[in-house]
Amino acid sequence: MTNDSALATLPNLRDLGGHRAADGAAVRRGLVYRADALARVDDGDFAALSRLGLRQVLDLRTAHERTAEPDRVPDGAEYAVLDVQGNHSTGGDLERLLTDPGAAAEALGGGGAAAFMLEVNRVLVTEPDANAAYSELVRRAATGPTAAVFHCTAGKDRTGWGAALLLTLLGVDREVVFEDYLASNPRMDRLRGAMRRRAERHGVDGDLLEPIIQVREEYLAEAFAEVERAYGTFDAYVSKGLKLAPDLITTLRERMLEG
């Protein structure tokens, strides 16, 4: 499966490999994948997913999301919860905004939707639940059995920061990291339509949701800016926020880089 291919019922599944680090080394394919939730995968796409030989499924979603839509986990794969939002308010707010017209209008109107997304990206960098989950994601990518897939619901925000973190640790240029992040947009037409229909059934103006059901360059930029505000440098974020030892990062690079 290449970064250009997509499964109809798992459209944001893609290999983290194939990118090239600044020193010319390539990120190995077939080791770590990013995806949207594995809950609605049809049988044909599930068979294709199973052929990847997955041995870890790493779920970044909240307890509510996991209960409402449990993953379909391929045989032989360990399932692990790495809840990056825990009880933080941004984890539960989206559900309310999709179903409460008054709350949606108040929170998302007048630029509120974009502001909400910027806050989500700051939280992913600084909240203890997020730091613990992303630290475990890196550890499992470096030392756990492969192939592995990590995902949230749409595979764009929580998963997007996880991918940006891993690619940055592997030495991939920031420009390429942003390209990988923005590649979610054309893959989300199905989800975008489903979210709008669900919101509109509850009387919520679907147009209010557009900033939430997209990825935008400024969202990921805000996460990197929060790294600098909170920790000073990306390396300090890794060592002090994620509490990852240099030896583990070396192990990650040895596993995932070639050439």
Side-chain angles (χ1 to χ4, degrees):
M1 179 175 296
T2 70
N3 279 343
D4 296 325
S5 63
L7 301 178
T9 57
L10 196 62
N12 218 357
L13 172 68
R14 43 202 164 102
D15 198 329
L16 209 63
H19 298 298
R20 196 161 290 276
D23 63 2
V27 180
R28 287 189 172 96
R29 293 187 182 274
L31 295 181
V32 178
Y33 296 86
R34 54 174 295 176
D36 37 333
L38 278 58
R40 300 182 181 180
V41 186
D42 68 17
D43 290 344
D45 286 347
F46 187 71
L49 179 69
S50 298
R51 288 194 291 271
L52 297 178
L54 294 176
R55 297 179 65 197
Q56 293 189 86
V57 174
L58 309 176
D59 192 341
L60 309 184
R61 297 177 300 165
T62 63
H64 173 81
E65 291 170 295
R66 299 191 306 270
T67 300
E69 295 194 308
D71 276 342
R72 293 187 69 179
V73 179
D75 290 343
E78 174 190 358
Y79 172 82
V81 172
L82 307 183
D83 185 343
V84 302
Q85 288 178 303
N87 293 322
H88 192 272
S89 62
T90 55
D93 281 351
L94 182 57
E95 176 68 18
R96 181 171 60 92
L97 297 178
L98 288 172
T99 57
D100 185 331
E106 180 179 354
L108 304 180
F116 173 81
M117 293 307 301
L118 294 174
E119 172 64 10
V120 166
N121 279 274
R122 289 190 290 268
V123 165
L124 296 180
V125 170
T126 55
E127 281 297 307
D129 285 329
N131 285 346
Y134 286 122
S135 178
E136 181 68 0
L137 172 63
V138 175
R139 187 189 70 79
R140 284 175 171 269
T143 64
T146 54
V149 62
F150 65 98
H151 75 85
C152 52
T153 293
K156 66 182 185 73
D157 300 308
R158 292 165 288 185
T159 299
W161 180 243
L165 167 62
L166 287 169
L167 292 175
T168 301
L169 288 172
L170 294 171
V172 174
D173 283 339
R174 186 67 56 85
E175 179 181 352
V176 177
V177 172
F178 272 83
E179 289 173 359
D180 179 82
Y181 175 78
L182 293 170
S184 288
N185 273 333
R187 294 169 172 266
M188 293 192 302
D189 288 344
R190 184 188 183 110
L191 177 65
R192 184 178 293 112
M195 287 183 71
R196 284 187 66 107
R197 288 190 296 274
R198 181 183 178 204
E200 288 166 355
R201 282 198 302 270
H202 288 90
V204 174
D205 181 357
D207 289 342
L208 290 174
L209 299 175
E210 281 303 312
I212 289 179
I213 52 183
Q214 300 171 2
V215 288
R216 296 180 176 179
E217 186 171 342
E218 57 262 36
Y219 299 164
L220 184 58
E222 184 67 10
F224 279 113
E226 185 71 358
V227 165
E228 294 186 3
R229 284 191 293 263
Y231 305 99
T233 65
F234 188 84
D235 287 346
Y237 163 62
V238 172
S239 63
K240 297 177 182 178
L242 304 184
K243 297 181 171 56
L244 293 172
D247 286 352
L248 185 73
I249 306 308
T250 299
T251 299
L252 177 75
R253 292 172 177 161
E254 289 174 346
R255 166 178 272 188
M256 293 197 65
L257 293 174
E258 62 183 355

